[in-house]
Amino acid sequence: MPAPLADKIRPETIDDVVGQQRLLGKGKVLRRIIETREIPNLIFYGPSGVGKTTVARIIAQAAGKRLHKLNGTNASVSDIKDIVSELDTIAGAGGVLLYLDEIQYLNKKQQQSLLEYIENGRITLIASTTENPYFYIYSAILSRCTVMEFKPVQASDVQQAVHRAFGIIGKERNEDYTLEKGVPEAIAGTCGGDVRKAINAVELLALAAPLQDGKRIVTLSDVSEITGKSAMRYDRDGDAHYDILSAFQKSIRGSDENAALHYLARLLEAGDLISPCRRLLVTACEDIGLAYPQAITIVKACVDSANQLGLPEARIPLAQAVILLCTAPKSNSVICAIDAATEAIKTTDVGDIPLHLKDTHYSGAGKLGRGLTYKYPHIYKNDYTAQQYLPDNIKDARYYTFGENKTEQAAKTYREKLLSEDKGELK
């Protein structure tokens, strides 16, 4: 069975790797480390198809150590023990370099079995993962490794790989490929920064290319059929999911409706209707809050409409909600207030509820002194009279601060009016 094109064109040197110049460019940290040939324990973190395995292989070739490869999806403790057993043999005299792909799939026991040998330097670990290592990798392993984050490859860099792939496949098959204008850009633009995906598309396009006048023709329509919609980075249980939601809410908070609509579109294109609905509801209270109290009501109506309509029509009321929140005045006074109150409960001896506020709906409450001095506000002028509501230990605590927006300032003015006019007078 012939090897996939992606394996055939895998770079052999750092200079051949596309993208990751922030790590591999001239004078950059990872490149300098590789050039020393004294390799520390490393964890490569990033999405698939961005060069993690390729760079690990290049490092292994330069390290001068015996190379072992394991994949976390099927590796066992016995596989690790087999590698450890080699350390006391001639083959392992110079140390072993272990390349461990998808390390996040190893359980804690499996990861712990490596600790002693990583620490004493007899095993040099280069691990790769598509998941956030700070969530999925045992902390003792993390403390002995340096995490290098690989980013999705820019489309301009992917185009280099696309041209190279067509050149190699043409040479291998002794055929000429003519690319319609815009083909490399289209392939690079729909792979989501995944070079492997782009190369796989090239391989399929080469197989499907019709022969005209002795040349294979690759058209934009063929690219569209094979690649489909853009391969956005999205995983409902992974980093991409939370990164998009984070960017979505922060764009609304920052009053940038164009960015917020972009992230909404990414969520909806991935078929995720629930997440943006939930985030819009919380954003209406967390970031707009009392600056525009009606926002939550309107957003709830938009969310209910979206859930009744379903996709694709759901995008319309959700877009309305996004634009409303982005263009609305902002206030975080609500979340600040509840967070302050929660923190006080956790760190302060708040004491007992005042007697006059305790429940009186049972016989004998009066004998316990409960509710005897409670003042019913509605019988007083302006439906207000001063009395203590907080427990004695924190009676002067203040959690809420009026925001600077028009609505909260109006509420502040009204509160000050109540306080200034309160004489304890009955209606």
Side-chain angles (χ1 to χ4, degrees):
M1 180 176 171
L5 180 60
D7 284 340
K8 292 177 184 176
I9 73 166
R10 192 181 293 276
E12 297 295 329
T13 69
I14 290 298
D15 289 328
D16 292 333
V17 178
V18 296
Q20 311 308 332
Q21 289 303 297
R22 51 184 285 277
L23 296 175
L24 302 172
K26 298 287 186 182
K28 297 300 182 180
V29 173
L30 183 54
R31 187 185 186 108
R32 297 203 309 268
I33 289 173
I34 296 170
E35 289 171 349
T36 67
R37 298 179 179 244
E38 296 180 10
I39 310 301
N41 298 307
L42 298 169
I43 294 175
F44 292 165
Y45 158 51
S48 59
V50 298
K52 301 188 303 296
T53 301
T54 295
V55 173
R57 287 182 176 181
I58 292 171
I59 291 175
Q61 290 170 2
K65 293 186 177 183
R66 185 170 177 81
L67 174 65
H68 286 273
K69 301 176 187 176
L70 292 178
N71 190 294
T73 58
N74 54 28
S76 64
V77 172
S78 63
D79 292 325
I80 296 171
K81 287 180 177 178
D82 288 341
I83 295 172
V84 170
S85 67
E86 189 181 288
L87 295 175
D88 294 322
T89 68
I90 295 175
V96 166
L97 191 148
L98 171 61
Y99 173 56
L100 183 51
D101 197 14
E102 303 292 356
I103 187 176
Q104 74 271 15
Y105 290 110
L106 292 187
N107 60 38
K108 186 174 181 179
K109 182 179 179 182
Q110 290 171 317
Q111 292 186 36
Q112 283 179 318
S113 65
L114 290 168
L115 275 177
E116 175 187 348
Y117 305 98
I118 293 173
E119 193 162 38
N120 65 25
R122 299 185 70 191
I123 290 179
T124 299
L125 175 67
I126 300 179
S128 66
T129 176
T130 56
E131 305 291 348
N132 192 322
Y134 297 99
F135 295 159
Y136 290 92
I137 297 178
Y138 182 43
S139 59
I141 293 283
L142 276 175
S143 69
R144 291 160 175 82
C145 297
T146 300
V147 176
M148 298 284 182
E149 185 176 3
F150 283 59
K151 302 285 189 180
V153 179
Q154 295 294 317
S156 57
D157 292 325
V158 176
Q159 288 178 43
Q160 299 176 34
V162 169
H163 284 293
R164 183 164 174 253
F166 273 117
I168 288 175
I169 203 168
K171 185 176 181 180
E172 184 181 75
R173 297 181 180 179
N174 197 27
E175 293 180 325
D176 290 330
Y177 287 88
T178 298
L179 310 183
E180 189 174 280
K181 185 177 180 181
V183 163
E185 292 84 352
I187 297 172
T190 56
C191 72
D194 185 333
V195 178
R196 187 186 301 113
K197 182 176 177 66
I199 301 307
N200 290 341
V202 169
E203 190 166 28
L204 290 173
L205 288 165
L207 287 171
L211 186 64
Q212 295 180 13
D213 300 325
K215 293 183 177 181
R216 297 285 180 181
I217 308 300
V218 180
T219 65
L220 279 170
S221 61
D222 288 341
V223 174
S224 179
E225 285 188 39
I226 285 179
T227 59
K229 59 185 177 183
S230 176
M232 299 175 297
R233 297 286 179 186
Y234 189 77
D235 178 352
R236 292 194 190 192
D237 297 318
D239 283 352
H241 170 75
Y242 295 105
D243 287 344
I244 292 174
L245 286 175
S246 176
F248 179 51
Q249 182 168 356
K250 287 171 182 172
S251 298
I252 295 174
R253 182 182 298 149
S255 300
D256 189 331
E257 63 275 11
N258 297 304
L261 288 168
H262 165 79
Y263 293 115
L264 173 66
R266 288 176 67 164
L267 291 162
L268 298 181
E269 276 297 292
D272 188 352
L273 179 59
I274 294 174
S275 296
C277 287
R278 293 179 62 187
R279 194 56 65 108
L280 283 168
L281 287 168
V282 74
T283 302
C285 298
E286 180 179 345
D287 295 305
I288 284 75
L290 295 174
Y292 184 34
Q294 300 92 332
I296 183 60
T297 305
I298 300 171
V299 168
K300 179 63 165 61
C302 289
V303 165
D304 288 346
S305 298
N307 282 305
Q308 282 188 307
L309 289 167
L311 290 170
E313 288 84 358
R315 74 192 191 283
I316 304 170
L318 293 186
Q320 178 177 332
V322 165
I323 295 170
L324 171 78
L325 295 182
C326 285
T327 55
K330 306 295 188 293
S331 172
N332 69 340
S333 61
V334 171
I335 188 173
C336 289
I338 187 60
D339 283 352
T342 302
E343 182 63 21
I345 290 170
K346 293 177 180 178
T347 60
T348 307
D349 177 12
V350 296
D352 197 16
I353 296 171
L355 278 173
H356 64 280
L357 298 182
K358 289 190 174 183
D359 180 31
T360 60
H361 290 86
Y362 59 92
S363 62
K367 293 179 181 179
L368 296 174
R370 301 190 174 187
L372 298 180
T373 59
Y374 174 63
K375 299 176 183 178
Y376 186 59
H378 294 300
I379 66 173
Y380 291 87
K381 182 180 177 182
N382 293 329
D383 297 283
Y384 173 82
T385 190
Q387 63 185 320
Q388 181 181 326
Y389 291 97
L390 280 168
D392 288 339
N393 292 6
I394 56 169
K395 64 180 181 180
D396 296 321
R398 296 293 179 267
Y399 305 124
Y400 171 66
T401 300
F402 290 94
E404 297 298 325
N405 57 83
K406 182 172 68 174
T407 303
E408 287 183 85
Q409 285 299 303
K412 181 181 179 182
T413 300
Y414 174 69
R415 169 65 58 78
E416 290 170 347
K417 177 177 180 291
L418 288 181
L419 295 175
S420 66
E421 294 182 357
D422 177 35
K423 309 296 183 183
E425 300 175 12
L426 298 174
K427 287 183 178 178

Short mmCIF file of all heavy atoms in Angstrom, two decimals, residues 213-236:
data_model
loop_
_atom_site.label_atom_id
_atom_site.label_comp_id
_atom_site.label_asym_id
_atom_site.label_seq_id
_atom_site.Cartn_x
_atom_site.Cartn_y
_atom_site.Cartn_z
N ASP A 213 -5.32 17.82 -23.32
CA ASP A 213 -4.13 18.18 -24.10
C ASP A 213 -2.85 17.74 -23.40
O ASP A 213 -1.85 18.47 -23.36
CB ASP A 213 -4.08 19.69 -24.38
CG ASP A 213 -5.29 20.17 -25.16
OD1 ASP A 213 -5.77 19.40 -26.02
OD2 ASP A 213 -5.76 21.29 -24.91
N GLY A 214 -2.88 16.55 -22.81
CA GLY A 214 -1.69 15.99 -22.19
C GLY A 214 -1.39 16.53 -20.80
O GLY A 214 -0.36 16.20 -20.22
N LYS A 215 -2.28 17.36 -20.25
CA LYS A 215 -2.06 17.90 -18.91
C LYS A 215 -3.26 17.63 -18.02
O LYS A 215 -4.40 17.57 -18.50
CB LYS A 215 -1.81 19.41 -18.98
CG LYS A 215 -0.51 19.79 -19.68
CD LYS A 215 -0.29 21.29 -19.63
CE LYS A 215 1.04 21.67 -20.28
NZ LYS A 215 1.28 23.13 -20.21
N ARG A 216 -3.00 17.48 -16.72
CA ARG A 216 -4.06 17.31 -15.74
C ARG A 216 -4.52 18.70 -15.27
O ARG A 216 -3.70 19.52 -14.86
CB ARG A 216 -3.57 16.50 -14.55
CG ARG A 216 -3.15 15.07 -14.90
CD ARG A 216 -4.36 14.20 -15.16
NE ARG A 216 -3.97 12.82 -15.50
CZ ARG A 216 -4.84 11.87 -15.80
NH1 ARG A 216 -6.14 12.14 -15.82
NH2 ARG A 216 -4.41 10.65 -16.09
N ILE A 217 -5.82 18.94 -15.35
CA ILE A 217 -6.35 20.26 -15.02
C ILE A 217 -7.05 20.21 -13.66
O ILE A 217 -7.93 19.38 -13.42
CB ILE A 217 -7.36 20.73 -16.09
CG1 ILE A 217 -6.75 20.63 -17.49
CG2 ILE A 217 -7.81 22.16 -15.77
CD1 ILE A 217 -5.50 21.48 -17.69
N VAL A 218 -6.63 21.11 -12.76
CA VAL A 218 -7.25 21.22 -11.44
C VAL A 218 -8.01 22.53 -11.38
O VAL A 218 -7.43 23.61 -11.53
CB VAL A 218 -6.19 21.17 -10.31
CG1 VAL A 218 -6.87 21.28 -8.95
CG2 VAL A 218 -5.37 19.89 -10.40
N THR A 219 -9.34 22.44 -11.18
CA THR A 219 -10.19 23.63 -11.23
C THR A 219 -10.67 24.03 -9.83
O THR A 219 -10.66 23.24 -8.88
CB THR A 219 -11.42 23.37 -12.11
OG1 THR A 219 -12.23 22.37 -11.48
CG2 THR A 219 -11.01 22.90 -13.49
N LEU A 220 -11.11 25.27 -9.74
CA LEU A 220 -11.66 25.77 -8.48
C LEU A 220 -12.92 25.03 -8.07
O LEU A 220 -13.17 24.81 -6.89
CB LEU A 220 -11.96 27.27 -8.60
CG LEU A 220 -10.77 28.22 -8.44
CD1 LEU A 220 -11.17 29.64 -8.82
CD2 LEU A 220 -10.26 28.19 -7.00
N SER A 221 -13.72 24.64 -9.05
CA SER A 221 -14.94 23.90 -8.71
C SER A 221 -14.61 22.55 -8.10
O SER A 221 -15.30 22.08 -7.18
CB SER A 221 -15.82 23.73 -9.96
OG SER A 221 -15.14 22.97 -10.96
N ASP A 222 -13.52 21.92 -8.60
CA ASP A 222 -13.09 20.66 -8.00
C ASP A 222 -12.65 20.87 -6.55
O ASP A 222 -12.94 20.06 -5.66
CB ASP A 222 -11.94 20.04 -8.80
CG ASP A 222 -12.41 19.47 -10.13
OD1 ASP A 222 -13.61 19.23 -10.28
OD2 ASP A 222 -11.55 19.28 -11.02
N VAL A 223 -11.93 21.96 -6.32
CA VAL A 223 -11.48 22.28 -4.96
C VAL A 223 -12.68 22.44 -4.05
O VAL A 223 -12.71 21.91 -2.92
CB VAL A 223 -10.62 23.56 -4.95
CG1 VAL A 223 -10.29 23.96 -3.51
CG2 VAL A 223 -9.35 23.36 -5.75
N SER A 224 -13.69 23.15 -4.53
CA SER A 224 -14.88 23.39 -3.73
C SER A 224 -15.59 22.09 -3.37
O SER A 224 -16.04 21.90 -2.24
CB SER A 224 -15.83 24.32 -4.48
OG SER A 224 -17.00 24.55 -3.74
N GLU A 225 -15.66 21.17 -4.33
CA GLU A 225 -16.34 19.89 -4.09
C GLU A 225 -15.58 19.04 -3.09
O GLU A 225 -16.17 18.37 -2.24
CB GLU A 225 -16.50 19.13 -5.40
CG GLU A 225 -17.59 19.67 -6.30
CD GLU A 225 -17.83 18.76 -7.50
OE1 GLU A 225 -17.79 17.53 -7.31
OE2 GLU A 225 -18.03 19.29 -8.60
N ILE A 226 -14.26 19.05 -3.18
CA ILE A 226 -13.45 18.16 -2.34
C ILE A 226 -13.27 18.72 -0.93
O ILE A 226 -13.36 17.99 0.06
CB ILE A 226 -12.07 17.90 -2.99
CG1 ILE A 226 -12.27 16.92 -4.15
CG2 ILE A 226 -11.07 17.35 -1.98
CD1 ILE A 226 -11.01 16.59 -4.90
N THR A 227 -13.03 20.00 -0.83
CA THR A 227 -12.72 20.57 0.49
C THR A 227 -13.96 20.94 1.27
O THR A 227 -13.92 20.99 2.50
CB THR A 227 -11.83 21.82 0.35
OG1 THR A 227 -12.51 22.81 -0.44
CG2 THR A 227 -10.50 21.47 -0.30
N GLY A 228 -15.07 21.22 0.58
CA GLY A 228 -16.28 21.62 1.31
C GLY A 228 -16.07 22.94 2.00
O GLY A 228 -15.27 23.78 1.59
N LYS A 229 -16.79 23.12 3.11
CA LYS A 229 -16.67 24.40 3.82
C LYS A 229 -15.39 24.44 4.62
O LYS A 229 -14.78 23.43 4.93
CB LYS A 229 -17.89 24.64 4.70
CG LYS A 229 -18.14 23.59 5.75
CD LYS A 229 -19.45 23.90 6.45
CE LYS A 229 -19.78 22.82 7.47
NZ LYS A 229 -21.08 23.05 8.11
N SER A 230 -14.99 25.63 4.97
CA SER A 230 -13.74 25.86 5.67
C SER A 230 -13.63 24.99 6.91
O SER A 230 -14.56 24.86 7.69
CB SER A 230 -13.63 27.34 6.08
OG SER A 230 -12.48 27.55 6.84
N ALA A 231 -12.46 24.40 7.09
CA ALA A 231 -12.23 23.52 8.25
C ALA A 231 -11.85 24.37 9.46
O ALA A 231 -10.70 24.49 9.81
CB ALA A 231 -11.12 22.52 7.93
N MET A 232 -12.86 24.99 10.08
CA MET A 232 -12.60 25.81 11.25
C MET A 232 -12.13 24.95 12.40
O MET A 232 -12.53 23.80 12.54
CB MET A 232 -13.88 26.55 11.66
CG MET A 232 -14.43 27.48 10.64
SD MET A 232 -15.99 28.18 11.21
CE MET A 232 -17.01 26.72 11.35
N ARG A 233 -11.28 25.53 13.22
CA ARG A 233 -10.85 24.84 14.42
C ARG A 233 -11.99 24.86 15.42
O ARG A 233 -12.31 25.89 15.98
CB ARG A 233 -9.62 25.53 15.02
CG ARG A 233 -8.41 25.51 14.10
CD ARG A 233 -7.80 24.13 14.06
NE ARG A 233 -6.66 24.10 13.16
CZ ARG A 233 -6.02 22.98 12.84
NH1 ARG A 233 -6.39 21.83 13.33
NH2 ARG A 233 -4.98 23.04 12.03
N TYR A 234 -12.63 23.73 15.64
CA TYR A 234 -13.74 23.69 16.58
C TYR A 234 -13.90 22.30 17.14
O TYR A 234 -13.89 21.32 16.42
CB TYR A 234 -15.04 24.13 15.91
CG TYR A 234 -16.16 24.33 16.89
CD1 TYR A 234 -16.20 25.47 17.68
CD2 TYR A 234 -17.14 23.36 17.06
CE1 TYR A 234 -17.20 25.66 18.61
CE2 TYR A 234 -18.15 23.54 18.00
CZ TYR A 234 -18.18 24.69 18.76
OH TYR A 234 -19.17 24.87 19.69
N ASP A 235 -14.05 22.24 18.46
CA ASP A 235 -14.23 20.98 19.15
C ASP A 235 -15.07 21.29 20.38
O ASP A 235 -14.65 22.04 21.25
CB ASP A 235 -12.87 20.40 19.57
CG ASP A 235 -13.00 19.10 20.34
OD1 ASP A 235 -14.14 18.72 20.68
OD2 ASP A 235 -11.97 18.47 20.60
N ARG A 236 -16.26 20.74 20.45
CA ARG A 236 -17.19 21.13 21.51
C ARG A 236 -16.67 20.79 22.90
O ARG A 236 -17.17 21.32 23.88
CB ARG A 236 -18.54 20.45 21.30
CG ARG A 236 -19.25 20.97 20.06
CD ARG A 236 -20.70 20.55 20.05
NE ARG A 236 -21.31 20.86 18.77
CZ ARG A 236 -22.61 20.81 18.54
NH1 ARG A 236 -23.42 20.47 19.50
NH2 ARG A 236 -23.10 21.10 17.36
#
